[in-house]
Amino acid sequence: MLERLFKVLSSLKLTVVCLGIAIVLVFIGTLAQVDEGLYQAQTRYFRSFLIYWSPPGAHWKIPVFPGGYLLGTVLLANLLAAHLSRFKLTRKKLGIHLIHGGLILLLLGQLLTDALSTESAMQLAEGEAKNYSQDFRDNELVIIDTTDPQRDRVTSIPESLVARKIEIAPSDLPLKVHVLDYWANSSLFETATGNAVPIKTSQGIASKTNVFVLPLKSTTDPNQRDIPSALVEVIAPEGPLGTWLVSSWTGAKQEFNYKNKTYQIAMRFTRYYKPFSLKLESFTHERYRGTDIPKNFASLVRLQRPDTGEDREVKIYMNNPLRYNGETYYQAGFHPDNDKLEHKITILQVVHNPSWLTPYFSCALVALGLMVQFGQHLFGFVSKRRAA
């Protein structure tokens, strides 16, 4: 049985079938970006093991096609099995071994990049300092213990859990959160608009004024993002403490007290905290003369890290990022109304990718393998001609 399975895994037919399915997957995934948007299509088709389908209005779904992760895993297993069964470790096959090693490393590197890398943004106004960046797409429900004036204790609940509308019991809190309702994309209004849903809560913003939630379709524009909202109930062992409306639309502080502790509850863009802070000292934006086309824009930031005493200025500009603490800070953009603002605003893209070197190593291995393989044949051919 194992021998038969290994034979199937090492088959060239399996390679051809997987490559054919990969072509179809890329085709349908590209077409799906029109209706679903770039990010949603990538997640559904390429960052999944199986692609699911469900009829309109149904609550069940069935797998209908392999996803990118499954195809990558099968191709990797096929490559390893073929290498073990067909190639022997000899000097003549050294180039082939290097080429296959580079391909294996490339597949593993892509898997690690998808699993471990994060992309976020840090928006800073001149004179402002932050020790966190915010995710481009993901959101979180947070309960923050603000009792200590020196430090906040943040409990984060991923949006994926909130979307399931269940009761959640964080391990580091004496409280439970029951999600009563959830909207993946929404707008908030003070007056009834269209299909807006009236919200009334016992605590927070929706308890003092009229608030209406307008459910929206998920955006397909890559330059926009969904704004989720949720109706939640906080439950203590003694009983419910009240209901709140939380939304990434509003930055209003919603506080409550429990056992002499003060808490805040909010829905916000997912934050990644750093052991250091960046303060924007100044932002410069140059344009080509007589046009509005950006020529160069740069941010002068002050990096401060209390635990090491580090305090220095760094200039971040196009093609000159800051690499620090395993992350890369790029000059991604700026606020479109900077000319009208008293304090200019910069936007830094923050990329955390522990496996960022693997593509370079894999390409180097493949290049070296090609040079060795073709070099051996070239030297053999020259030697034969000389002998003749």
Side-chain angles (χ1 to χ4, degrees), residues 154-381:
V154 180
T155 299
S156 172
I157 301 172
E159 185 185 1
S160 57
L161 277 181
V162 178
R164 294 166 60 184
K165 294 191 283 190
I166 58 175
E167 187 174 278
I168 305 165
S171 59
D172 55 345
L173 273 181
L175 306 169
K176 295 181 180 180
V177 178
H178 184 200
V179 182
L180 304 175
D181 211 339
Y182 165 80
W183 301 272
N185 191 21
S186 60
S187 291
L188 300 186
F189 297 93
E190 294 183 356
T191 56
T193 303
N195 297 323
V197 180
I199 302 296
K200 196 66 179 177
T201 62
S202 61
Q203 302 287 339
I205 55 174
S207 65
K208 301 176 182 178
T209 59
N210 293 327
V211 178
F212 294 84
V213 175
L214 178 63
L216 301 172
K217 293 182 179 180
S218 294
T219 180
T220 59
D221 189 342
N223 296 319
Q224 298 179 359
R225 63 177 297 167
D226 291 341
I227 306 295
S229 301
L231 181 63
V232 300
E233 181 183 31
V234 178
I235 305 172
E238 297 82 4
L241 299 180
T243 55
W244 283 263
L245 174 67
V246 291
S247 175
S248 295
W249 264 110
T250 176
K253 294 182 179 179
Q254 303 190 78
E255 294 185 342
F256 66 93
N257 296 301
Y258 176 69
K259 288 189 175 180
N260 299 322
K261 288 189 175 183
T262 303
Y263 295 91
Q264 290 182 359
I265 184 169
M267 177 78 79
R268 69 187 188 188
F269 306 142
T270 301
R271 293 183 180 182
Y272 303 104
Y273 288 92
K274 325 293 180 186
F276 58 92
S277 64
L278 291 180
K279 180 181 179 182
L280 181 62
E281 300 288 349
S282 64
F283 176 79
T284 56
H285 178 200
E286 300 176 9
R287 296 181 176 89
Y288 287 100
R289 183 174 299 178
T291 70
D292 290 330
I293 302 175
K295 178 182 179 182
N296 183 34
F297 43 98
S299 302
L300 181 64
V301 298
R302 178 174 292 278
L303 191 156
Q304 296 175 309
R305 185 163 184 168
D307 58 341
T308 62
E310 190 172 2
D311 188 348
R312 59 188 175 95
E313 288 187 347
V314 182
K315 192 171 185 179
I316 304 173
Y317 53 92
M318 296 168 64
N319 300 322
N320 188 66
L322 165 65
R323 300 186 189 276
Y324 185 76
N325 199 49
E327 296 177 328
T328 306
Y329 293 75
Y330 297 94
Q331 180 63 64
F334 51 87
H335 198 282
D337 297 326
N338 263 354
D339 293 337
K340 305 175 184 178
L341 298 175
E342 181 181 357
H343 301 288
K344 296 179 180 179
I345 298 175
T346 186
I347 301 174
L348 303 177
Q349 181 181 1
V350 185
V351 178
H352 175 72
N353 184 11
S355 60
W356 68 279
L357 285 174
T358 52
Y360 299 98
F361 287 139
S362 61
C363 290
L365 273 178
V366 172
L368 180 61
L370 290 172
M371 291 173 62
V372 170
Q373 189 67 18
F374 287 112
Q376 286 179 344
H377 287 282
L378 178 62
F379 290 140
F381 176 74

Side-chain angles (χ1 to χ4, degrees), residues 35-236:
D35 298 322
E36 300 182 26
L38 177 63
Y39 179 78
Q40 289 84 354
Q42 284 182 343
T43 302
R44 182 185 178 192
Y45 291 92
F46 305 117
R47 294 177 177 173
S48 62
F49 283 95
L50 292 170
I51 300 170
Y52 292 89
W53 172 84
S54 61
H59 297 286
W60 52 270
K61 54 186 179 180
I62 57 174
V64 293
F65 206 74
Y69 282 173
L70 180 58
L71 274 179
T73 302
V74 174
L75 279 171
L76 179 60
N78 175 246
L79 184 60
L80 289 170
H83 192 73
L84 292 173
S85 63
R86 292 188 178 90
F87 302 113
K88 297 180 180 180
L89 189 58
T90 61
R91 183 178 61 83
K92 290 184 178 181
K93 298 291 185 180
L94 179 59
I96 298 295
H97 290 302
L98 290 173
I99 294 171
H100 281 78
L103 293 175
I104 292 170
L105 185 60
L106 187 63
L107 289 171
L108 287 175
Q110 183 59 45
L111 178 62
L112 291 174
T113 296
D114 282 340
L116 303 177
S117 67
T118 57
E119 291 189 12
S120 55
M122 183 179 286
Q123 182 170 295
L124 294 169
E126 288 180 331
E128 183 183 16
K130 283 183 179 178
N131 67 335
Y132 63 87
S133 59
Q134 294 177 304
D135 198 283
F136 285 122
R137 297 291 173 184
D138 290 337
N139 300 273
E140 60 183 357
L141 172 65
V142 293
I143 298 179
I144 309 171
D145 183 352
T146 60
T147 308
D148 187 349
Q150 301 298 324
R151 178 175 296 181
D152 294 341
R153 295 186 60 184
V154 180
T155 299
S156 172
I157 301 172
E159 185 185 1
S160 57
L161 277 181
V162 178
R164 294 166 60 184
K165 294 191 283 190
I166 58 175
E167 187 174 278
I168 305 165
S171 59
D172 55 345
L173 273 181
L175 306 169
K176 295 181 180 180
V177 178
H178 184 200
V179 182
L180 304 175
D181 211 339
Y182 165 80
W183 301 272
N185 191 21
S186 60
S187 291
L188 300 186
F189 297 93
E190 294 183 356
T191 56
T193 303
N195 297 323
V197 180
I199 302 296
K200 196 66 179 177
T201 62
S202 61
Q203 302 287 339
I205 55 174
S207 65
K208 301 176 182 178
T209 59
N210 293 327
V211 178
F212 294 84
V213 175
L214 178 63
L216 301 172
K217 293 182 179 180
S218 294
T219 180
T220 59
D221 189 342
N223 296 319
Q224 298 179 359
R225 63 177 297 167
D226 291 341
I227 306 295
S229 301
L231 181 63
V232 300
E233 181 183 31
V234 178
I235 305 172

